[in-house]
Amino acid sequence: MTQITHYFGAGPAALPHQVKQKIEKDILEYQNSGISILELSHRSESFSNILDQAKTMLRALYSIPDNYQILFMAGGATLQFDAVPLNLVGQSQHASYLDTGFWSRKAGDLARKYTKVKYVQGLDDTIDKVCCLESGEWQVDNSSAYLHVTPNETINGLEFVSVGDIEVPVVADLTSCMLMQDIDINEFGVLYAATQKSLGIAGLSVVIIRDDLLGPVNDHTPDLLRYDLHAEHNSIVNTTAVFACYVAQLMLEWVIQQGGLKVMVQQAKQRSELLYAAIDDNPKLVNNICKKNRSTINVAFNSADKKVIDQLLKAAEQEGLIGLQGHRYAGGVRASMYNGTPLEAAKKLATLIKAA
Amino acid sequence: MTQITHYFGAGPAALPHQVKQKIEKDILEYQNSGISILELSHRSESFSNILDQAKTMLRALYSIPDNYQILFMAGGATLQFDAVPLNLVGQSQHASYLDTGFWSRKAGDLARKYTKVKYVQGLDDTIDKVCCLESGEWQVDNSSAYLHVTPNETINGLEFVSVGDIEVPVVADLTSCMLMQDIDINEFGVLYAATQKSLGIAGLSVVIIRDDLLGPVNDHTPDLLRYDLHAEHNSIVNTTAVFACYVAQLMLEWVIQQGGLKVMVQQAKQRSELLYAAIDDNPKLVNNICKKNRSTINVAFNSADKKVIDQLLKAAEQEGLIGLQGHRYAGGVRASMYNGTPLEAAKKLATLIKAA
C-alpha cells in the first residue's frame, strides 16, 4: 500500500484531490471543445465563462458588494506590491504600511520607489508573546493615500481578521489567507491575493477593488499593472493566464461544494488548534505568538535544541508529511495548511509534535 | 470515429499531443514526488532542475553564447513592452522602434511612458505588396538606447529573420516566432517571448539578455520587471510560475526530440507554403504581403467577397479545423501554425482554400 503523503508547503500549496482529478481530465480535451484547457483562447466564450463563474463565486463567498470590481492580473503578490502604490498614491504625498512582520515590511519597502512610506507599528512585543495591536491603537496618518495591511504573516504565523474603522482606504494582502478568514469586505478598499495558496497555482493574482479607487494612476504604471485597464477590459488586457484562471475557478467551486467560507474558516481553526495544543504541551517546543493572533493557516514553531527539530522533520518525512521546513529566515518548523489540507494531515502531525 | 480537430488559434496555441500526455501524467503525481506538478515549490530541487534543463536546452537549440543570461519572468509580452525601456533606456534620451505593424507599434507606444520613442520606417508599402525594408535601409539613430524589432507580425503575417549590423543593441520580440526562425542570437542584445505560442501556456515570458545590458534600471522599475534581479536570483525573485516553466521545459524537450530548430523552421516553411500556394491559386482570395516577407507562422488572407470567407470558415469548422477567424482588427482568415501544428492540418486547410 502506498503511504498517503500530506504536503505542508507554504506555496505553491496543496490542492484538493478532486480538483486535481478534474484538471487531469481536461488536459487532453476540455469539455468536448476539441482542445486542451491548456490551449483555450483568452478570447473564447469558454474562457469568458470561466472568468464570469469565478467572479460570481468569489462575490458570493465573500458577499462582495456590487461597487467592487474583481480583477485577474498577471504575476504574484510581489508585483502587486508595486501595483498598489502605482495605482493608489495619486496626489497624496505618502502611504501608510502596518508593520506586522516580514511581508508587510517587504510591501512597504517596494512602495518606496513611488512614494514616501510611513510604517505604522502593528506589533506589541513588549510582552512575552508577540501580539498584534488592536486596530484602534494603530497610529495612522489620515492624509495617507491608504493603509496597507497583511492580515496573515506567513513566516512567524501571525494573524488578525478585522481592521475596524480606518479613515483612509485599507489595502489588504490576502495572499496567504484568501478564503480562509471571515473578513468583512466593506472594511477594505482593495484586497489582493496571489493565487498559489488557496486559489490554485502561481503566476496570477486576484484583486478586489472598490469602484471609487480605480484610476488615475501614476504616469509610470505598466499597462499590465493598471487596475483601471483590467476593470475596463474584464481582465483581458493581453493574453490572460488562462490555465491559472481555470484552476482558480475550480478552487472556488470546490470551496462552495465544501460548504463555503464559514466551513473553510472552521476547518482552519480545527487544524491549527490541534497543532498549537500539541506544541504548548511539549516543553521542548516554542511558539511565541500570543493566542489571539496565532495564525490558523501557518503554524510556526522552533526549539532551543536543533536536534529536536531535525528529528521531528525526519520522522514527519517517514510518515509522508512533507514541506515542513521553516522559512529560510526563521528556521524551525512551519506547517502551512491552506484549504486543500485535510484534517487528517494535522492529526498526524500533531501526534508527531507531541512525541518530539 | 471521432474527427481529428486541428487548432489554428493565434495563442494560447496548439500543444503537441505527446506534451499534453506527459502533463496529464504529472497532474496527480510528479515523478514519484508524492505531490502534483501543480503543487511543486519554486524552491524545490525538482523545480531547480526544471529551470536548469530548460535553460540548457534553449541554449543548445539557439547556440546561445555564454555571455547571455536566460531568464523566466511573470507575465506576457505586454509586460515586457514596459520592462524593455525600464531596464534598457538608462542615460539615453530615446529608443528606436522598427515599425512593421500592429505589435511593433504597440511596443513603442507603451515605451513612451519612460522615454522618447523614435519610430523607424520598416515597411515599404509603395509597391503593390507590402515588404519589409532590408536592414541596411532602416534609418536608426545611433544614439538611441536600443532598436526594438518584431521579427514576426502576427496580424498581417509579415516576417523577417535578420537585422544585419545595427550599431545599437537590438531588442527582439520573439513571442510569435520563438523556436520557429533560424536567427543568429549574436545579432541581438535582448530577445524576449511570451510562452503561450511555442513554449507552452500564457503567464510567463522568457528573456535572453547579453550580460553587458543588465542594469542599472530606471528608478521606477517594479522588482518583478528587473532583468538584473532575475539574473541574480536565477529567475526566482518571488514565487515563479512553476507550472508554466515546467510546460516550457517539456516544449523544449519536444523540439529537441523532433530534431531541433532546423526541423521546426523547415516544417513551418512546408506548412505555410502549402497555404500560400492555395491562396495564390484562388482568384477570390488575397494575401498582400510580398513573398520574401510572408510569415511562415501566421498566414492571413481575405476576400473582397465576405461570403467566401464565411463559407470557408464554416467548411473548416465542419472538417474539425478551428480557431481560423482573422484578428478582430483585420478580419478575414488567419491560420496560426506554431510548432505544435502537424503538416496534416495545413494539408486539410489548403484543400479547403483551393475549393473556396
Side-chain angles (χ1 to χ4, degrees), chain A residues 8 14 35 53 60 93 124-125 136 141 149 160 171 207 224 241 257 261 303 326 339 350-351 355:
Chain A
F8 293 88
I35 60 171
Q53 284 174 31
Q93 301 302 309
D124 179 1
D125 48 13
D141 183 333
V149 301
F160 60 93
V171 179
V207 176
L224 275 194
Q257 284 162 0
L261 191 58
S303 172
N339 285 336
T351 305

Side-chain angles (χ1 to χ4, degrees), chain A residues 7 11-15 20 27 39-40 42-43 78 82 110 113 196 202 219-223 238-240 243 328, chain B residues 11-15 20 27 39-40 42-43 78 82 110 113 196 202 219-223 238-240 243 328:
Chain A
Y7 184 56
L15 299 178
K20 289 184 275 188
I27 294 297
E39 297 165 331
L40 191 66
H42 55 300
R43 303 216 180 267
T78 308
D82 286 275
L110 294 205
K113 294 193 286 286
Q196 73 270 14
D219 289 343
H220 282 197
T221 310
D223 276 28
N238 70 332
T239 309
T240 316
F243 182 73
R328 64 198 187 286
Chain B
L15 299 179
K20 288 184 275 190
I27 294 296
E39 298 165 331
L40 192 66
H42 55 299
R43 303 216 179 266
T78 308
D82 286 276
L110 293 205
K113 293 193 287 287
Q196 74 269 18
D219 289 342
H220 283 196
T221 310
D223 276 29
N238 70 332
T239 309
T240 317
F243 182 73
R328 65 198 186 285

Side-chain angles (χ1 to χ4, degrees), chain B residues 45-217:
Chain B
E45 203 186 318
S46 296
F47 181 60
S48 178
N49 289 338
I50 286 172
L51 279 188
D52 285 349
Q53 284 175 32
K55 289 197 277 189
T56 303
M57 290 188 286
L58 187 60
R59 206 174 275 285
L61 282 163
Y62 271 129
S63 306
I64 300 174
D66 286 344
N67 62 327
Y68 285 76
Q69 304 279 330
I70 299 172
L71 318 175
F72 293 87
M73 295 176 70
T78 308
L79 204 51
Q80 291 298 323
F81 292 169
D82 286 276
V84 165
L86 282 165
N87 281 279
L88 301 176
V89 164
Q91 299 305 312
S92 181
Q93 301 301 310
H94 47 82
S96 290
Y97 280 73
L98 186 71
D99 180 2
T100 50
F102 180 85
W103 290 108
S104 57
R105 275 197 299 271
K106 172 139 191 195
D109 287 349
L110 293 205
R112 281 183 165 149
K113 293 193 287 287
Y114 316 103
T115 186
K116 195 179 160 199
V117 166
K118 297 191 171 188
Y119 283 107
V120 177
Q121 176 62 24
L123 296 182
D124 180 359
D125 47 14
T126 58
I127 49 170
D128 191 30
K129 298 236 166 188
V130 178
C131 267
C132 186
L133 290 170
E134 296 298 334
S135 56
E137 298 163 35
W138 301 341
Q139 301 298 313
V140 183
D141 183 334
N142 286 335
S143 61
S144 273
Y146 57 84
L147 171 69
H148 180 280
V149 302
T150 309
N152 184 62
E153 287 276 1
T154 56
I155 295 184
N156 294 319
L158 181 138
E159 182 179 0
F160 61 92
V161 172
S162 173
V163 296
D165 273 337
I166 304 283
E167 292 209 14
V168 298
V170 180
V171 179
D173 175 3
L174 297 191
T175 296
S176 61
C177 51
M178 177 52 110
L179 295 175
M180 301 194 69
Q181 285 181 328
D182 197 7
I183 57 167
D184 177 0
I185 295 289
N186 296 290
E187 287 189 359
F188 303 91
V190 178
L191 308 100
Y192 66 88
T195 52
Q196 74 269 18
K197 318 251 182 187
S198 287
L199 283 176
I201 64 168
L204 184 72
S205 290
V206 173
V207 176
I208 304 165
I209 181 167
R210 216 172 56 211
D211 284 338
D212 61 291
L213 296 171
L214 286 166
V217 303

Side-chain angles (χ1 to χ4, degrees), chain A residues 35-47:
Chain A
I35 60 171
S36 164
I37 182 65
L38 301 166
E39 297 165 331
L40 191 66
S41 168
H42 55 300
R43 303 216 180 267
S44 65
E45 204 186 317
S46 297
F47 181 59

Side-chain angles (χ1 to χ4, degrees), chain B residues 15-34:
Chain B
L15 299 179
H17 190 69
Q18 298 100 300
V19 169
K20 288 184 275 190
Q21 280 179 315
K22 275 202 179 169
I23 296 170
E24 189 191 31
K25 272 187 199 148
D26 292 338
I27 294 296
L28 290 186
E29 184 174 7
Y30 179 63
Q31 293 185 350
N32 298 315
S33 63

Side-chain angles (χ1 to χ4, degrees), chain A residues 88-96 114-116 141-146 168:
Chain A
L88 301 176
V89 164
Q91 300 305 313
S92 181
Q93 301 302 309
H94 47 82
S96 290
Y114 315 105
T115 187
K116 195 179 159 199
D141 183 333
N142 286 337
S143 62
S144 274
Y146 57 84
V168 299

